[in-house]
Amino acid sequence: QVQLVESGGGLVQPGGSLRLSCAASGFSFSIYAMSWFRQAPGKERELVAAITSGVGLTNYADSVKGRFTISRDNAKNTVDLQMNSLKPEDTAMYYCQAAHFRTYWGQGTQVTVSS
């Protein structure tokens, strides 16, 4: 059974940091590209960051470049998103996605940036 389980979300003040983690199981994690998406209320889901299989090339949305870092650990079947210098506009539900032969999604973890 395929599972993607996100954790690490919460309430943080502007300028703060959070580290999201996604634990994967039930598929060949190392060959899948992994991504983090987010969706704010009333908005479409958008790509935040992605990391390829193999050499682990990364890609970021312009809005998070220089603040967020995606990483993966193929031994632990996890993908993390380190988020620094958080802004209120980063508030959203954050989702983990795995993509290769098929696409899988997690249930999401809420991130709220507010003073």
Side-chain angles (χ1 to χ4, degrees):
Q1 180 181 0
V2 172
Q3 281 194 312
L4 291 173
V5 180
E6 301 97 333
S7 62
L11 173 63
V12 63
Q13 292 187 344
S17 298
L18 281 175
R19 188 175 184 88
L20 306 184
S21 187
C22 173
S25 60
F27 62 99
S28 299
F29 178 84
S30 63
I31 68 171
Y32 276 68
M34 299 299 298
S35 301
W36 285 95
F37 284 74
R38 67 186 181 189
Q39 188 167 20
K43 295 188 177 181
E44 292 189 354
R45 191 171 296 190
E46 63 174 353
L47 176 67
V48 175
I51 185 165
T52 65
S53 61
V55 297
L57 297 176
T58 59
N59 185 44
Y60 297 93
D62 287 343
S63 59
V64 307
K65 281 181 181 176
R67 300 189 297 122
F68 290 11
T69 302
I70 188 171
S71 60
R72 66 188 297 161
D73 186 333
N74 289 336
K76 296 181 178 179
N77 287 4
T78 58
V79 57
D80 291 350
L81 185 68
Q82 177 66 44
M83 306 187 296
N84 299 328
S85 303
L86 283 160
K87 304 175 181 180
E89 50 263 43
D90 295 317
T91 295
M93 185 72 76
Y94 283 71
Y95 297 91
C96 177
Q97 184 211 59
H100 187 52
F101 300 111
R102 305 183 69 172
T103 299
Y104 305 116
W105 291 92
Q107 293 299 306
T109 185
Q110 177 67 38
V111 172
T112 302
V113 184
S114 175
S115 55

